Amino acid sequence: MNRVLLLTAGICFALTCRAQNDTTGVEKLKGPEGDTIRVGNLLIIRNGARDFTGNVPSLRIKTRRHHNYYHPSNVSTNWGIVDLGLASMNDKTMYSSPAAQQFAPGANKDWFKNRYGILPKTVDVNIWIFMQRFNLIHHWLNLKYGVGIELNNYRYEYNIRYLTNPTKVIMDTIQYSKNKLATDYATIPVMLNFNFTPHRRHPFGFSAGASFGYLYSSRQKLISHEHGKEKIFNDFDINSWKISYIGELQLGWVNFYGSYATKSIFGRGLDQVPYNFGVRIGNW
């Protein structure tokens, strides 16, 4: 009985569609499977065959699925990307050398130990005004570049103090509750991007390249009971330019980044190479 009702409904629907020649979304076809009527994603096929009882012609209903792929443009731009990570130094200084002792008399590697703790104090925060991706080869290989600022904060464990004119580092007798060196760079990153899933809105892949940063501000911030809050602006013989090797790992919604400078942050005395790593927050 159910087959009879289904067949009757299908035949009535087919006759109604045949009578309305200009009905929107209805298409009548002839093919090897028999009479076919397509209504949107609904496909009704009558092939004239009989079912196992030998009485009723078979009627099949199919649905059609459309796969909507993401089609990336040749040039795509992402605005307002933020990096949140940790900052550190690879200290390769020979503290027994005359240059190191002149710059930081009596110093050793422990002087420049950074403070981390449960809530990290030595941090890297980068704000990229924009990053752009330019298609090179079928969206699998792209050129990626941008403009932004890098904000590095090195929070010291011990009471070191930077003197100026000339720059010198001493171990102070004052107990500081806060002691950090901050360096801010205007930076341009340039990378080759390898996209393994170019038709995903949030792809999987990685990027590698270099960044070119110019130091526009550096300062030491100190807080003590004796002097309160102090903020000393100076270049402290820090190199004006920072060139770093950079990389980015894209895992769908989650992106990680890392950087490693090509040389010491200081122009003389100390050989401390900065590096950063963390999470990149942005949505292509």
Tab-separated table of all heavy atoms in Angstrom, residues 11-49:
chain	number	residue	atom	x	y	z
A	11	ILE	N	3.884	10.332	-9.455
A	11	ILE	CA	3.299	10.540	-10.780
A	11	ILE	C	2.545	11.863	-10.807
A	11	ILE	O	2.637	12.637	-11.770
A	11	ILE	CB	2.367	9.358	-11.142
A	11	ILE	CG1	3.205	8.090	-11.345
A	11	ILE	CG2	1.564	9.675	-12.394
A	11	ILE	CD1	2.371	6.838	-11.532
A	12	CYS	N	1.798	12.162	-9.732
A	12	CYS	CA	1.073	13.433	-9.676
A	12	CYS	C	2.037	14.607	-9.701
A	12	CYS	O	1.804	15.613	-10.375
A	12	CYS	CB	0.207	13.493	-8.411
A	12	CYS	SG	-1.173	12.320	-8.429
A	13	PHE	N	3.107	14.460	-8.990
A	13	PHE	CA	4.093	15.547	-8.966
A	13	PHE	C	4.714	15.725	-10.340
A	13	PHE	O	4.920	16.842	-10.809
A	13	PHE	CB	5.163	15.220	-7.916
A	13	PHE	CG	6.151	16.321	-7.712
A	13	PHE	CD1	5.805	17.451	-6.989
A	13	PHE	CD2	7.423	16.230	-8.251
A	13	PHE	CE1	6.699	18.465	-6.801
A	13	PHE	CE2	8.316	17.247	-8.069
A	13	PHE	CZ	7.981	18.380	-7.335
A	14	ALA	N	5.002	14.623	-11.016
A	14	ALA	CA	5.594	14.691	-12.355
A	14	ALA	C	4.635	15.336	-13.339
A	14	ALA	O	5.040	16.156	-14.177
A	14	ALA	CB	5.984	13.293	-12.822
A	15	LEU	N	3.343	14.964	-13.263
A	15	LEU	CA	2.363	15.548	-14.176
A	15	LEU	C	2.200	17.043	-13.912
A	15	LEU	O	2.025	17.836	-14.841
A	15	LEU	CB	1.007	14.831	-14.012
A	15	LEU	CG	0.985	13.369	-14.499
A	15	LEU	CD1	-0.352	12.715	-14.175
A	15	LEU	CD2	1.269	13.302	-16.005
A	16	THR	N	2.231	17.431	-12.640
A	16	THR	CA	2.122	18.851	-12.303
A	16	THR	C	3.288	19.629	-12.867
A	16	THR	O	3.128	20.712	-13.430
A	16	THR	CB	2.058	19.031	-10.778
A	16	THR	OG1	0.953	18.296	-10.269
A	16	THR	CG2	1.924	20.503	-10.406
A	17	CYS	N	4.487	19.075	-12.755
A	17	CYS	CA	5.676	19.752	-13.283
A	17	CYS	C	5.640	19.819	-14.802
A	17	CYS	O	6.100	20.784	-15.419
A	17	CYS	CB	6.948	19.028	-12.819
A	17	CYS	SG	7.219	19.127	-11.041
A	18	ARG	N	5.095	18.761	-15.453
A	18	ARG	CA	5.019	18.740	-16.914
A	18	ARG	C	4.048	19.806	-17.401
A	18	ARG	O	4.216	20.375	-18.481
A	18	ARG	CB	4.594	17.347	-17.371
A	18	ARG	CG	4.677	17.114	-18.879
A	18	ARG	CD	4.228	15.713	-19.232
A	18	ARG	NE	5.092	14.723	-18.651
A	18	ARG	CZ	6.191	14.271	-19.239
A	18	ARG	NH1	6.548	14.759	-20.427
A	18	ARG	NH2	6.935	13.350	-18.668
A	19	ALA	N	2.984	20.071	-16.600
A	19	ALA	CA	1.988	21.051	-17.026
A	19	ALA	C	2.482	22.476	-16.851
A	19	ALA	O	1.968	23.398	-17.476
A	19	ALA	CB	0.689	20.857	-16.221
A	20	GLN	N	3.479	22.670	-16.016
A	20	GLN	CA	3.997	24.016	-15.769
A	20	GLN	C	5.357	24.120	-16.418
A	20	GLN	O	6.360	23.744	-15.846
A	20	GLN	CB	4.093	24.278	-14.268
A	20	GLN	CG	2.745	24.213	-13.572
A	20	GLN	CD	2.882	24.399	-12.071
A	20	GLN	OE1	3.983	24.565	-11.575
A	20	GLN	NE2	1.767	24.374	-11.376
A	21	ASN	N	5.368	24.642	-17.640
A	21	ASN	CA	6.612	24.652	-18.417
A	21	ASN	C	7.636	25.609	-17.852
A	21	ASN	O	8.832	25.420	-18.012
A	21	ASN	CB	6.309	25.043	-19.877
A	21	ASN	CG	5.474	23.989	-20.566
A	21	ASN	OD1	5.597	22.807	-20.265
A	21	ASN	ND2	4.615	24.421	-21.480
A	22	ASP	N	7.229	26.709	-17.176
A	22	ASP	CA	8.155	27.736	-16.736
A	22	ASP	C	8.358	27.724	-15.223
A	22	ASP	O	8.702	28.732	-14.630
A	22	ASP	CB	7.665	29.136	-17.162
A	22	ASP	CG	7.603	29.246	-18.678
A	22	ASP	OD1	8.453	28.616	-19.316
A	22	ASP	OD2	6.709	29.968	-19.164
A	23	THR	N	8.119	26.612	-14.564
A	23	THR	CA	8.241	26.559	-13.105
A	23	THR	C	9.700	26.674	-12.710
A	23	THR	O	10.541	25.951	-13.213
A	23	THR	CB	7.666	25.228	-12.573
A	23	THR	OG1	6.327	25.125	-12.991
A	23	THR	CG2	7.771	25.194	-11.050
A	24	THR	N	9.996	27.575	-11.802
A	24	THR	CA	11.378	27.830	-11.382
A	24	THR	C	11.914	26.661	-10.571
A	24	THR	O	11.251	26.158	-9.679
A	24	THR	CB	11.429	29.106	-10.519
A	24	THR	OG1	10.882	30.170	-11.264
A	24	THR	CG2	12.860	29.415	-10.109
A	25	GLY	N	13.167	26.228	-10.897
A	25	GLY	CA	13.836	25.193	-10.130
A	25	GLY	C	13.475	23.796	-10.552
A	25	GLY	O	13.980	22.831	-9.983
A	26	VAL	N	12.581	23.592	-11.540
A	26	VAL	CA	12.175	22.260	-11.982
A	26	VAL	C	12.794	21.988	-13.341
A	26	VAL	O	12.684	22.801	-14.256
A	26	VAL	CB	10.636	22.135	-12.059
A	26	VAL	CG1	10.242	20.759	-12.565
A	26	VAL	CG2	10.014	22.414	-10.703
A	27	GLU	N	13.435	20.825	-13.472
A	27	GLU	CA	14.101	20.480	-14.721
A	27	GLU	C	13.737	19.045	-15.085
A	27	GLU	O	13.862	18.128	-14.268
A	27	GLU	CB	15.620	20.613	-14.554
A	27	GLU	CG	16.374	20.422	-15.849
A	27	GLU	CD	17.869	20.581	-15.642
A	27	GLU	OE1	18.283	20.869	-14.498
A	27	GLU	OE2	18.618	20.388	-16.623
A	28	LYS	N	13.227	18.831	-16.337
A	28	LYS	CA	12.835	17.502	-16.820
A	28	LYS	C	13.918	16.980	-17.747
A	28	LYS	O	14.342	17.673	-18.668
A	28	LYS	CB	11.490	17.571	-17.544
A	28	LYS	CG	10.319	17.929	-16.624
A	28	LYS	CD	9.051	18.198	-17.387
A	28	LYS	CE	9.116	19.567	-18.052
A	28	LYS	NZ	7.856	19.936	-18.709
A	29	LEU	N	14.391	15.777	-17.462
A	29	LEU	CA	15.506	15.217	-18.220
A	29	LEU	C	15.139	13.846	-18.750
A	29	LEU	O	14.260	13.165	-18.246
A	29	LEU	CB	16.749	15.094	-17.321
A	29	LEU	CG	17.231	16.382	-16.629
A	29	LEU	CD1	18.311	16.029	-15.628
A	29	LEU	CD2	17.738	17.370	-17.656
A	30	LYS	N	15.869	13.421	-19.800
A	30	LYS	CA	15.803	12.061	-20.315
A	30	LYS	C	17.203	11.487	-20.237
A	30	LYS	O	18.165	12.122	-20.666
A	30	LYS	CB	15.310	12.047	-21.762
A	30	LYS	CG	13.803	12.044	-21.926
A	30	LYS	CD	13.216	10.704	-21.595
A	30	LYS	CE	11.716	10.672	-21.937
A	30	LYS	NZ	11.150	9.358	-21.658
A	31	GLY	N	17.343	10.328	-19.695
A	31	GLY	CA	18.669	9.748	-19.584
A	31	GLY	C	18.594	8.243	-19.604
A	31	GLY	O	17.516	7.652	-19.743
A	32	PRO	N	19.738	7.576	-19.447
A	32	PRO	CA	19.768	6.113	-19.494
A	32	PRO	C	18.998	5.471	-18.354
A	32	PRO	O	18.598	4.321	-18.438
A	32	PRO	CB	21.264	5.800	-19.388
A	32	PRO	CG	21.880	7.013	-18.781
A	32	PRO	CD	21.061	8.159	-19.260
A	33	GLU	N	18.781	6.253	-17.265
A	33	GLU	CA	18.042	5.675	-16.148
A	33	GLU	C	16.536	5.799	-16.328
A	33	GLU	O	15.777	5.255	-15.553
A	33	GLU	CB	18.458	6.369	-14.845
A	33	GLU	CG	19.896	6.096	-14.444
A	33	GLU	CD	20.193	6.691	-13.091
A	33	GLU	OE1	20.386	7.910	-13.020
A	33	GLU	OE2	20.218	5.932	-12.090
A	34	GLY	N	16.070	6.542	-17.336
A	34	GLY	CA	14.640	6.692	-17.545
A	34	GLY	C	14.217	8.131	-17.389
A	34	GLY	O	15.003	9.047	-17.514
A	35	ASP	N	12.893	8.352	-17.129
A	35	ASP	CA	12.383	9.699	-16.926
A	35	ASP	C	12.921	10.252	-15.605
A	35	ASP	O	12.844	9.602	-14.562
A	35	ASP	CB	10.849	9.680	-16.887
A	35	ASP	CG	10.283	9.274	-18.241
A	35	ASP	OD1	10.968	9.548	-19.241
A	35	ASP	OD2	9.189	8.692	-18.273
A	36	THR	N	13.428	11.478	-15.656
A	36	THR	CA	14.037	12.099	-14.476
A	36	THR	C	13.520	13.510	-14.322
A	36	THR	O	13.430	14.249	-15.294
A	36	THR	CB	15.576	12.139	-14.599
A	36	THR	OG1	16.058	10.805	-14.789
A	36	THR	CG2	16.204	12.723	-13.333
A	37	ILE	N	13.179	13.878	-13.117
A	37	ILE	CA	12.766	15.243	-12.790
A	37	ILE	C	13.657	15.728	-11.657
A	37	ILE	O	13.787	15.054	-10.635
A	37	ILE	CB	11.284	15.309	-12.371
A	37	ILE	CG1	10.384	14.857	-13.531
A	37	ILE	CG2	10.921	16.726	-11.934
A	37	ILE	CD1	8.928	14.780	-13.159
A	38	ARG	N	14.296	16.910	-11.852
A	38	ARG	CA	15.157	17.485	-10.830
A	38	ARG	C	14.483	18.743	-10.302
A	38	ARG	O	14.141	19.646	-11.065
A	38	ARG	CB	16.533	17.819	-11.398
A	38	ARG	CG	17.466	18.412	-10.327
A	38	ARG	CD	18.839	18.751	-10.871
A	38	ARG	NE	19.531	17.556	-11.285
A	38	ARG	CZ	20.007	17.360	-12.510
A	38	ARG	NH1	19.822	18.289	-13.441
A	38	ARG	NH2	20.636	16.247	-12.833
A	39	VAL	N	14.300	18.827	-9.001
A	39	VAL	CA	13.748	19.998	-8.336
A	39	VAL	C	14.772	20.428	-7.283
A	39	VAL	O	14.859	19.842	-6.216
A	39	VAL	CB	12.386	19.710	-7.675
A	39	VAL	CG1	11.810	20.976	-7.076
A	39	VAL	CG2	11.424	19.083	-8.673
A	40	GLY	N	15.557	21.451	-7.621
A	40	GLY	CA	16.614	21.880	-6.703
A	40	GLY	C	17.606	20.750	-6.514
A	40	GLY	O	18.195	20.246	-7.472
A	41	ASN	N	17.784	20.308	-5.266
A	41	ASN	CA	18.692	19.212	-4.968
A	41	ASN	C	17.985	17.865	-4.941
A	41	ASN	O	18.607	16.843	-4.659
A	41	ASN	CB	19.375	19.442	-3.609
A	41	ASN	CG	20.351	20.595	-3.665
A	41	ASN	OD1	20.804	20.950	-4.745
A	41	ASN	ND2	20.668	21.173	-2.510
A	42	LEU	N	16.652	17.844	-5.279
A	42	LEU	CA	15.873	16.613	-5.256
A	42	LEU	C	15.791	16.023	-6.653
A	42	LEU	O	15.453	16.717	-7.604
A	42	LEU	CB	14.457	16.907	-4.721
A	42	LEU	CG	13.556	15.709	-4.498
A	42	LEU	CD1	14.077	14.819	-3.408
A	42	LEU	CD2	12.143	16.184	-4.180
A	43	LEU	N	16.149	14.732	-6.778
A	43	LEU	CA	16.159	14.051	-8.069
A	43	LEU	C	15.188	12.879	-8.001
A	43	LEU	O	15.333	11.986	-7.163
A	43	LEU	CB	17.573	13.553	-8.386
A	43	LEU	CG	17.871	13.163	-9.821
A	43	LEU	CD1	17.803	14.384	-10.727
A	43	LEU	CD2	19.242	12.514	-9.924
A	44	ILE	N	14.138	12.876	-8.893
A	44	ILE	CA	13.148	11.799	-8.941
A	44	ILE	C	13.358	11.019	-10.232
A	44	ILE	O	13.347	11.582	-11.323
A	44	ILE	CB	11.710	12.353	-8.883
A	44	ILE	CG1	11.518	13.172	-7.594
A	44	ILE	CG2	10.695	11.235	-8.969
A	44	ILE	CD1	10.178	13.849	-7.513
A	45	ILE	N	13.588	9.718	-10.109
A	45	ILE	CA	13.892	8.871	-11.267
A	45	ILE	C	12.832	7.775	-11.375
A	45	ILE	O	12.561	7.059	-10.416
A	45	ILE	CB	15.288	8.239	-11.134
A	45	ILE	CG1	16.347	9.331	-11.001
A	45	ILE	CG2	15.596	7.349	-12.331
A	45	ILE	CD1	17.721	8.786	-10.670
A	46	ARG	N	12.233	7.659	-12.573
A	46	ARG	CA	11.313	6.548	-12.857
A	46	ARG	C	11.917	5.759	-14.013
A	46	ARG	O	12.002	6.247	-15.136
A	46	ARG	CB	9.915	7.069	-13.223
A	46	ARG	CG	8.907	5.963	-13.501
A	46	ARG	CD	7.555	6.542	-13.887
A	46	ARG	NE	6.572	5.507	-14.099
A	46	ARG	CZ	6.427	4.807	-15.237
A	46	ARG	NH1	7.213	5.080	-16.267
A	46	ARG	NH2	5.502	3.865	-15.332
A	47	ASN	N	12.361	4.539	-13.742
A	47	ASN	CA	13.063	3.791	-14.782
A	47	ASN	C	12.201	2.725	-15.457
A	47	ASN	O	12.688	1.978	-16.302
A	47	ASN	CB	14.332	3.144	-14.208
A	47	ASN	CG	14.032	2.187	-13.063
A	47	ASN	OD1	12.877	1.815	-12.854
A	47	ASN	ND2	15.060	1.795	-12.327
A	48	GLY	N	10.945	2.602	-15.072
A	48	GLY	CA	10.050	1.657	-15.750
A	48	GLY	C	10.198	0.230	-15.287
A	48	GLY	O	9.439	-0.634	-15.713
A	49	ALA	N	11.174	-0.053	-14.430
A	49	ALA	CA	11.345	-1.429	-13.967
A	49	ALA	C	10.300	-1.755	-12.911
A	49	ALA	O	9.725	-0.864	-12.290
A	49	ALA	CB	12.755	-1.604	-13.398
